[in-house]
Amino acid sequence: MWASILSEWLSLIFRWLHVVAAVAWIGSSFYFIALDLSLRPREGLPDGVMGEAWQVHGGGFYRIMKYLVAPSELPDELTWFKWEAYTTWLSGFALMIVVYYLNADLFLVDKSILDLTPLQAGLFSLGSLALAWLLYEAACRSGLAQHELPFALGGYVFLVALTFAFTHVLSGRGAFNQIGAIIGTIMVANVFAVIIPNQKKIVAALLAGQSPDPKLGKAGKERSVHNNYLTLPVLVLMISNHYPLLFATRYNWVIVAIVLALGPVIRHFFNERHKGRPSPWWVWGIAAIGMIAIALLSAAGPRQSAVTALPAAPTFAQVEEIVTSRCSMCHASEPVWDGIVTAPKAVLLDSAEHIRRNMRLIARNAAWSGAMPPGNVTEITPEERAILAAWANGD
Ligand code: HEC
């Protein structure tokens, strides 16, 4: 019992830290992109300054100038923005261990998709994380990334192919988290392995009175553009575990493909707007079409649908029998499932009254999607899901 309580609190602490660090990171990164795009050249700026911007916040006015190379003299105190990114990754990885690796049988494996042991699933997750990042890094270093559009399209196909593969190896929830973790790792590694080291080399060259290699700045910029376009999709993937209709329905990988396309398109709107160019309003038309497509796809039902049509009118006794035999070992005031000490999310499914009261939740998690039982550990059948769906649709 203590192990279970400890893991619950560790999960809260790491999640809290993860969200705060990510807010600080993404927030400062959005801020700097918008700032960069709003800088305007003016008469009388110091040498080496490409533009300035005025802002008002917290009761004072800020006048910000950007030195394209560096000022003739570097200030003693220079603020770096890196710990936001590093903390996001470290806390995210810790959270992934607590939630996904230590509960791999529930959240990473789905035996009806592939019969893996928790250890195999964990190794697959770690291995594919490292491999995907290495492939991305190799593609960037080979110079491919300089061809922006082909690289973006290739990267898109790469991520969709990975998603398709993951949804055929891991549980839907595990797969969504895996692709999110890969994108997040790529983004943090861009800061850690390229953007910050290159910036350090540039500063060192300036201090030594040499002119820095322009390639350093260019590579850093390239990576920060990638990060910019990956921000919105990674956030959807990270919160997707709260939405069974996204991760546990038949076309879950197509939904990810749409999200991966929509994120960059929406970023484009803000990038253009902050540049002072005409706002590309068409973006919202595409976003709306994408969201409608996701909603329709998510209604396609769980992965393994019943071969038979929905049973006409199931009796409540049938429903109760299914829920009692497939759900209540965990969702009871005193669960009997190993490792579960209290009813998960306080959802009780151990009496007729509780089952009736939770009809919508049962439908979303076990009839319209296959999110519950987690990893289908109690082996609910497609026919049983169909009966639950008929009950929920008819009531
Ligand atoms: C092996 C134990 C187990 C079994 C069996 C199980 N659940 Fe769950 N259930 C969980 C866990 C763990 C969570 C919390 C998931 C999380 O942390 O996101 C959960 C969460 C839920 C939730 C809350 C989702 C939300 O909104 O956050 C519902 C509803 C639910 N289960 C319904 C069911 C139904 C219906 C069944 C049977 C078809 C079922 N569960 C079988 C363990 C189980």
Side-chain angles (χ1 to χ4, degrees):
M1 181 181 131
W2 285 108
S4 175
I5 290 179
L6 182 68
S7 92
E8 183 78 354
W9 293 117
L10 283 179
S11 145
L12 172 69
I13 291 168
F14 291 141
R15 197 179 298 261
W16 189 14
L17 182 60
H18 188 53
V19 170
V20 171
V23 166
W25 178 26
I26 307 291
S28 61
S29 122
F30 278 180
Y31 171 75
F32 276 105
I33 292 163
L35 172 64
D36 228 45
L37 298 175
S38 73
L39 293 166
R40 299 282 175 268
R42 266 189 256 286
E43 293 282 315
L45 293 175
D47 273 354
V49 170
M50 53 95 49
E52 69 168 0
W54 282 81
Q55 299 183 346
V56 56
H57 190 262
F61 292 86
Y62 294 78
R63 183 186 179 190
I64 303 144
M65 289 185 276
K66 178 168 182 176
Y67 288 78
L68 213 42
V69 199
S72 46
E73 231 176 287
L74 270 183
D76 298 334
E77 257 179 54
L78 192 55
T79 307
W80 292 81
F81 289 85
K82 54 183 185 186
W83 278 104
E84 295 85 348
Y86 302 167
T87 311
T88 303
W89 191 87
L90 292 170
S91 55
F93 194 70
L95 188 58
M96 192 155 145
I97 293 175
V98 172
V99 176
Y100 286 90
Y101 292 169
L102 296 182
N103 295 299
D105 53 337
L106 295 184
F107 297 137
L108 213 48
V109 177
D110 185 336
K111 286 195 192 313
S112 59
I113 293 175
L114 198 64
D115 193 357
L116 295 176
T117 65
L119 181 68
Q120 287 169 331
L123 290 176
F124 172 81
S125 161
L126 280 177
S128 58
L129 185 81
L131 191 66
W133 171 65
L134 282 172
L135 284 172
Y136 163 81
E137 195 59 34
C140 287
R141 296 201 182 225
S142 71
L144 283 178
Q146 283 161 21
H147 311 280
E148 265 179 29
L149 195 60
F151 185 81
L153 291 175
Y156 176 76
V157 172
F158 174 62
L159 289 175
V160 173
L162 283 181
T163 308
F164 181 80
F166 293 152
T167 54
H168 289 78
V169 177
L170 302 171
S171 69
R173 186 174 157 169
F176 273 47
N177 181 68
Q178 183 66 13
I179 193 77
I182 286 177
I183 297 177
T185 299
I186 286 176
M187 293 172 67
V188 175
N190 279 341
V191 177
F192 181 72
V194 179
I195 298 173
I196 293 290
N198 284 12
Q199 197 74 55
K200 292 228 148 116
K201 283 182 208 153
I202 291 173
V203 171
L206 291 169
L207 287 176
Q210 299 155 350
S211 57
D213 183 352
K215 272 204 217 103
L216 294 170
K218 219 170 141 238
K221 176 76 197 157
E222 207 171 85
R223 302 301 182 98
S224 77
V225 169
H226 295 175
N227 281 7
N228 180 229
Y229 285 114
L230 290 172
T231 312
L232 294 182
V234 80
L235 290 176
V236 177
L237 291 166
M238 288 303 165
I239 57 176
S240 67
N241 63 341
H242 299 289
Y243 297 92
L245 294 181
L246 290 187
F247 68 78
T249 45
R250 191 179 313 179
Y251 300 114
N252 55 1
W253 68 274
V254 187
I255 293 176
V256 173
I258 296 175
V259 167
L260 288 173
L262 282 191
V265 171
I266 295 174
R267 275 310 294 156
H268 176 71
F269 175 84
F270 291 99
N271 291 342
E272 289 298 294
R273 197 176 168 82
H274 293 150
K275 252 180 238 171
R277 299 219 196 120
S279 301
W281 291 105
W282 56 264
V283 157
W284 298 109
I286 307 255
I289 294 170
M291 293 310 284
I292 292 168
I294 289 177
L296 292 175
L297 286 167
S298 76
R303 185 88 149 261
Q304 287 104 353
S305 291
V307 259
T308 49
L310 286 189
T315 63
F316 186 72
Q318 278 175 296
V319 170
E320 205 180 347
E321 160 72 26
I322 296 169
V323 175
T324 311
S325 61
R326 308 295 185 189
C327 319
S328 63
M329 51 287 276
C330 297
H331 291 282
S333 47
E334 286 182 22
V336 292
W337 194 269
D338 213 20
I340 305 251
V341 288
T342 54
K345 304 275 174 204
V347 174
L348 288 170
L349 302 171
D350 53 354
S351 69
E353 197 217 327
H354 286 148
I355 293 173
R356 276 189 221 276
R357 199 191 302 152
N358 287 313
M359 185 179 76
R360 291 278 133 197
L361 278 177
I362 295 174
R364 261 204 305 276
N365 286 277
W368 305 330
S369 87
M372 284 288 142
N376 200 6
V377 284
T378 53
E379 295 173 352
I380 191 172
T381 65
E383 287 71 26
E384 287 170 333
R385 290 199 197 279
I387 291 172
L388 295 180
W391 165 61
N393 295 348
D395 237 60

